[in-house]
Amino acid sequence: MINSSPGTSQTRSITQTSISQTRSFTTVSLIEMWERFGYYGMAALLVLFMIDKIGFADDHANLTWGAFTALVFSAPSIGGWIGDKVLGARRTMIAGAIVLACGYLMLALPVDTLGFMYASLGVIVVGNGLFKSNAANLVRRIFEGDDARIDSAFTIYYMAVNIGSTFSMLATPWIKDHWGWHAAFAVCCGGMLLGLLNFALLRRSLAHVGSAPDDEPLRGSRVFAVIAGSLALAASTVFILQHKQVAVACVYAAGVAILAIFGFMLKTCDRSERAGLIAALILTLQVILFFVFYQQMSTSLTLFALRNVDPAFSIGGIALFTWSAAQFQALNPIWIMVLSPLLAFVYARQARRGRDMPVAAKYALGFVVVAIGFFVFGLSGRYAVEGRVSSWFMVAGYGLYSFGELLVSGLGLAMIARYVPARMGGFMMGAFFVATGVSQYLGSVVANFARMPAGNLDAAQSLPLYTHLFFGLGWLAAGGAVVAIALLPLLGKLSRAHQQATQAASRRESLAPAPISLNAKNV
């Protein structure tokens, strides 16, 4: 008998592990893609729906959207804990997908009352809370211990998200124009159902991936507790959306909660884990600033496109096609899809050469690019014709903004995966989403600096409101870049300390003697 060499056996094991990782990663990415199809299809329309069908003024619609997205992004902190400790990450993700489908179905029903809209949004908050952090945590567990691939994996994961959002942001406004608002929301529900079908067909590839409760029998008492908590969260969402003062108080409370969570983790963690958690805290604060810019896509940039952007794309005086205001949001995921593979290739290549750029440096570069993008939006007003700017300014501005998004938001989850211990993974993913939720509301407050005054203004009168806001956002992003660059030495020191502690812990584990099993033969 010819035995294979140890080297051959080890190579085969590595290859099999890589194939298994790819299959599992593909399954999570696909259901995330369809979930984002549903969410961003709704997001492209909701502010305009509130203005057109519910009768909200600009500032009311912006702040309602901000409060809703703050809740949408904060709820995963609870869902992450449920996935880690109660139901399991895999089960909780699927439960969230089912609830989201129900929320989109409610929006698809031909009921245009304010209370029913709030109830629909409450269900969506619950579904996203159960889904979001657990899907990201599964990706983290798939590549656990493989730092060389984790930045690249999360960049590709981010691209999968944007494939779904691209098609929905292009499709739902077009469907709305031809068949109405509720038909467009029905498409969002259909996308989520396709995601569930996709998971059912590929679920075996995730059978070995999940948190500890995934391997335990499902307990009825736990399921009942989650259902009761979900109903309470949905009811709380309806109440918060109806009361601006309560929404503001919740935002402040969430901000304090983020700091409390990190403080608790720093106090209870091992000394070797502290440097990584401090680095994660600093970078999370930078992400909060970034999402102020991100929130403009559904608020000020969409209203700018509605009132001050020429909807026709032309080259040399020849009209190519026309977009509605909501469809301009699709420029963001289109650019993400174009840029993601390039960045993933660069990350992987630099990692192989041992010259990977630190996450903190990527964040700093991201703020520089975002600043340039908003300056482009602001400068577009100088070339306006009768108050309307060329649609190509939107293409250029969104391209720069999206590049910055990949460098900051696209690596946010990878940053948590890199610096936070695995046992805290789901909960800290949730804390990261709480941080983004806080900044979503702050972004809506910022968007209202360009709110329309009482009475309708023509394009020439509304244009300065938006360009002034965009210049201000450009300078804010430039300030964020300066701070990020100033923090690079500190973050470099923390990153090195975290890496050394991780390597030391790995060596201790490899040198530790295997536990002796006291079975009958040993005795």
Side-chain angles (χ1 to χ4, degrees), residues 181-255:
W181 295 98
H182 299 290
F185 290 132
V187 171
C188 301
C189 176
M192 194 66 261
L193 292 176
L194 284 174
L196 286 165
L197 176 61
N198 178 85
F199 177 82
L201 295 174
L202 300 175
R203 66 186 183 280
R204 290 184 180 178
S205 65
L206 284 177
H208 63 292
V209 181
S211 56
D214 279 309
D215 299 324
E216 301 172 0
L218 195 61
R219 301 180 187 177
S221 59
R222 292 185 174 185
V223 173
F224 177 79
V226 170
I227 292 174
S230 297
L231 292 173
L233 177 58
S236 300
T237 297
V238 173
F239 181 78
I240 290 169
L241 293 179
Q242 289 176 323
H243 298 85
K244 177 183 175 182
Q245 294 81 3
V246 176
V248 173
C250 288
V251 169
Y252 285 127

Side-chain angles (χ1 to χ4, degrees), residues 315-449:
I315 296 179
I318 301 174
L320 303 177
F321 54 89
T322 300
W323 274 1
S324 67
Q327 287 179 307
F328 279 93
Q329 296 176 63
L331 288 169
N332 173 240
I334 289 172
W335 275 114
I336 294 291
M337 287 194 297
V338 171
L339 296 171
S340 291
L342 300 176
L343 274 180
F345 172 77
V346 171
Y347 292 159
R349 184 177 181 182
Q350 293 298 98
R352 286 195 301 269
R353 296 181 176 183
R355 294 187 296 182
D356 187 26
M357 181 186 292
V359 172
K362 294 171 184 174
Y363 273 36
L365 177 59
F367 279 113
V368 171
V369 177
V370 168
I372 298 171
F374 274 98
F375 284 139
V376 168
F377 289 133
L379 288 169
S380 68
R382 299 185 181 182
Y383 303 92
V385 177
E386 296 180 352
R388 291 194 175 269
V389 306
S390 169
S391 54
W392 295 108
F393 278 105
M394 298 293 280
V395 175
Y398 264 109
L400 290 160
Y401 158 87
S402 302
F403 182 34
E405 179 185 344
L406 275 173
L407 291 168
V408 182
S409 176
L411 291 177
L413 298 177
M415 175 270 292
I416 295 293
R418 181 189 292 264
Y419 288 119
V420 175
R423 59 190 175 82
M424 304 176 185
F427 193 66
M428 292 304 293
M429 289 281 186
F432 175 82
F433 285 120
V434 172
T436 60
V438 170
S439 56
Q440 296 275 8
Y441 187 81
L442 296 177
S444 291
V445 173
V446 170
N448 273 347
F449 283 109

Side-chain angles (χ1 to χ4, degrees), residues 112-146:
D112 292 333
T113 63
L114 184 58
F116 191 77
M117 183 193 75
Y118 283 149
S120 304
L121 298 184
V123 173
I124 292 170
V125 166
V126 171
N128 194 77
L130 296 171
F131 182 93
K132 192 66 181 172
S133 61
N134 288 293
N137 197 25
L138 287 177
V139 174
R140 178 249 175 81
R141 289 177 181 274
I142 291 168
F143 294 97
E144 192 169 333
D146 193 352

Side-chain angles (χ1 to χ4, degrees), residues 170-181 183-184 327:
L170 290 174
T172 56
W174 185 86
I175 291 169
K176 183 269 296 182
D177 290 340
H178 288 78
W179 291 289
W181 295 98
Q327 287 179 307

